[in-house]
Amino acid sequence: MDLASAHDGLRPLMFSIAYRMLGSVAEAEDIVQEAFLRMHRSTQESGEIDNLDAYATTVTTRIAIDTLRSARHRREQYVGPWLPEPILISDEDPSHRLELDETVSTAFLVLLESLTPVERAVFVLREVMAYDYEDIAPVVDKSATNCRQIFTRARKRIADGTPRFEPSPERRDQLASQFVAALSTSDVSGLERLLADDVVFVADGGGRAPAIQKPMLGAVAVARFLLGLMRQGERFGVRLELSHANGQPAMLTRGADGALLGVIALDVDGDRIVRMHNVLNPDKLGHLGEVGDLFALLAQR
């Protein structure tokens, strides 16, 4: 099969790798486009490629490593905490239809930020794509033995931050529904029961939307903070909508006009919510539809 015929079939594979590497929809799309350009030039110079999937994986991963290296500096200068861009179950772009397992959850992508670009590439290719170490080695320019060692270290680091008791999807959705119900009725004790004692609430406004600059810790503090936000939002017609982001339960915050204001992903361990990641930066929400202006909304007070 030639590259032009395989284009639509290769895009989801390439996007899947690039998104897991960068945690950014926009950057992943740019990487996929650049990878296709390089592959096209290669086919013009060398003729048809024998194994398009393997070649696409190699080219995409190498560009993603280079992109992540340059992105590290930008993220160090980022205003407030940095969170990955959410992908909703309702996303209609065929290339965005990832295998929505734990390796694309917001919490997992945040954990991947602790890895170096090469560690992240080895981990993604081995854990997600199920590549043999002999196949990973030429992609990252390491020996197969070295790749095995890199993966072992990376997996241990990631395992230290993953949930110990993974609930069923049905249980996660049930907890999310209970959480929204408690928020809607201002049930502070109900909220606190659903939150782990050491729950963490992280918000990403990137300087483009109002957001807390440091993670908030503790069930009591987080519950009361969220209820305060709800009371404030009700004055402007803000509403919550249950959804799924990156394969996990999430709440979409919408303005009275339906414009998206934020996406809060819920990370559940056992019977408690242990982390909440609130993406408010409009630059990270634009691929999901019309985005509202939180600063302008709050200025109406």
Side-chain angles (χ1 to χ4, degrees), residues 87-89 100-101 104-106 169 172-173 244-249:
I87 291 181
L88 302 184
I89 196 170
L100 293 175
D101 55 24
V104 292
S105 72
T106 302
R172 289 200 300 263
D173 289 346
H244 289 84
N246 297 68
Q248 304 292 318

Side-chain angles (χ1 to χ4, degrees), residues 181-249:
L183 267 179
S184 301
T185 57
S186 298
D187 181 2
V188 65
S189 60
L191 281 177
E192 291 174 12
R193 285 194 297 271
L194 294 170
L195 299 174
D197 291 341
D198 57 352
V199 65
V200 181
F201 181 89
V202 183
D204 176 348
R208 300 269 287 110
I212 56 174
Q213 296 297 298
K214 294 181 180 179
M216 181 174 291
L217 308 177
V220 174
V222 170
R224 293 180 180 179
F225 175 72
L226 289 174
L227 284 175
L229 290 181
M230 280 293 293
R231 285 192 291 270
Q232 188 176 35
E234 285 173 356
R235 299 204 304 270
F236 303 109
V238 173
R239 56 185 172 84
L240 293 178
E241 176 183 312
L242 274 173
S243 185
H244 289 84
N246 297 68
Q248 304 292 318

Side-chain angles (χ1 to χ4, degrees), residues 1-16 32 36 39 51-57 60 95:
M1 181 183 294
D2 61 25
L3 184 58
S5 302
H7 181 275
D8 290 346
L10 287 173
R11 277 189 71 206
L13 167 69
M14 297 162 74
F15 181 85
S16 175
V32 171
F36 270 120
M39 292 168 66
N51 189 331
L52 278 174
D53 281 11
Y55 191 59
T57 297
T60 302
S95 70

Side-chain angles (χ1 to χ4, degrees), residues 67-78:
T67 304
L68 187 55
R69 282 172 175 154
S70 63
R72 285 298 169 93
H73 176 70
R74 296 198 305 274
R75 291 179 188 179
E76 288 171 358
Q77 307 301 315
Y78 195 78

Side-chain angles (χ1 to χ4, degrees), residues 126-288:
R126 178 64 179 170
E127 184 76 7
V128 181
M129 312 306 296
Y131 269 48
D132 293 331
Y133 294 112
E134 289 74 14
D135 296 323
I136 297 173
V139 178
V140 297
D141 196 23
K142 304 284 184 183
S143 69
T145 300
N146 199 354
C147 287
R148 183 187 298 272
Q149 294 169 342
I150 290 171
F151 176 75
T152 300
R153 290 196 303 269
R155 183 170 60 178
K156 183 179 185 305
R157 201 179 311 167
I158 295 301
D160 290 340
T162 54
R164 292 169 297 170
F165 306 104
E166 189 69 37
S168 67
E170 294 77 17
R171 181 54 181 152
R172 289 200 300 263
D173 289 346
Q174 183 184 41
L175 285 170
S177 297
Q178 292 172 348
F179 188 79
V180 171
L183 267 179
S184 301
T185 57
S186 298
D187 181 2
V188 65
S189 60
L191 281 177
E192 291 174 12
R193 285 194 297 271
L194 294 170
L195 299 174
D197 291 341
D198 57 352
V199 65
V200 181
F201 181 89
V202 183
D204 176 348
R208 300 269 287 110
I212 56 174
Q213 296 297 298
K214 294 181 180 179
M216 181 174 291
L217 308 177
V220 174
V222 170
R224 293 180 180 179
F225 175 72
L226 289 174
L227 284 175
L229 290 181
M230 280 293 293
R231 285 192 291 270
Q232 188 176 35
E234 285 173 356
R235 299 204 304 270
F236 303 109
V238 173
R239 56 185 172 84
L240 293 178
E241 176 183 312
L242 274 173
S243 185
H244 289 84
N246 297 68
Q248 304 292 318
M251 298 183 295
L252 309 185
T253 309
R254 295 191 183 277
D257 59 356
L260 186 63
L261 299 171
V263 176
I264 305 175
L266 306 178
D267 188 24
V268 178
D269 189 347
D271 282 332
R272 296 291 184 271
I273 296 167
V274 293
R275 279 178 293 271
M276 304 177 69
H277 296 105
N278 188 16
V279 178
L280 297 162
N281 186 340
D283 295 337
K284 296 186 175 186
L285 302 174
H287 63 285
L288 302 177

